Amino acid sequence: MASRTPIIAGNWKMNNTIKETKELLTALIPLVKDAKCEVAVCAPYTSIAAAAGLIAGTKIKLGAENVHWADKGAFTGEISADMLKELGVEYVIVGHSERRQYFGETDATVNKRAKAALSRGLKPIICVGELLGERESGATDDVVIRQTKGAFDGIAADELKNIVIAYEPVWAIGTGKTATADDADATIAVIRGVVGELYGKDAADAMRIQYGGSMNAKNVAELMAKPNIDGGLIGGASLKAEDFAKLIAGVN
Ligand code: 13P
């Protein structure tokens, strides 16, 4: 089994003005300076430049929350990979369930965004996960298999080292309901199996796959103890420095 460095990434969603970004990061930086895992914050576009300045030279890496697939052009309201790269962005969330639910994101557009990110040297965090109804009808595995295959369509094996997958059961996001550690681990094993089917066992063993959905300082240890879980994509608990730092301290 390949050893995988866990990655905890905050997804701020539509939170944190520049002023709030400064306050949060100024408090967070000293609290996570000895983190044993990789740490990233995915900020809204308007806060990225401020975040970049504050975290330069620290443990914290910079992420964005979406990227368009075109290089440039008539796509009002969209942001290109080059624009993010210029700001020092390293990671970019692609295919978050909120994008899929509210903004018409499909497996095909997730794939296009992931490829655009990779082509410009950004590292996509590709999100997959089932809705509550899909879980209740026993379709969880089918959904994550379809989403994973769709997201990786046409992606070359040598790009895999730059990709992180986040398994986020939609019913667990922002609800306080966490998937049990066993359920999360089992579904992540299914996702890892898809990577293995597409690229071989070594690639599957090396792929970092996060859990996301009401992850916090209390449940992080139990989730991280599972063999397939390589970190977390954190919403609510990444918005307060102390909460996020406690969660990060709970890794290992
Ligand atoms: P919460 O941690 O608020 O449940 O959000 C999870 C999430 O959607 C991260 O991308």
Side-chain angles (χ1 to χ4, degrees), residues 9-13 93 96-98 125 127 166 168-177 210-216 232-239 247:
N11 173 11
W12 289 354
K13 309 191 179 185
I93 298 169
H96 191 277
S97 64
E98 287 147 19
I125 298 175
C127 301
E168 299 203 309
V170 180
W171 48 271
I173 294 177
T175 58
K177 287 185 203 154
Q210 300 170 308
Y211 169 77
S214 298
M215 195 162 168
N216 57 39
L233 189 56
I234 318 300
S238 73
L239 296 176
L247 188 158

Side-chain angles (χ1 to χ4, degrees), residues 6-10 37-40 210 215 220 231-232 234 244 247-248 251:
I7 171 167
I8 299 286
C37 58
E38 212 178 317
V39 176
Q210 300 170 308
M215 195 162 168
V220 59
I234 318 300
F244 197 41
L247 188 158
I248 288 163
V251 177

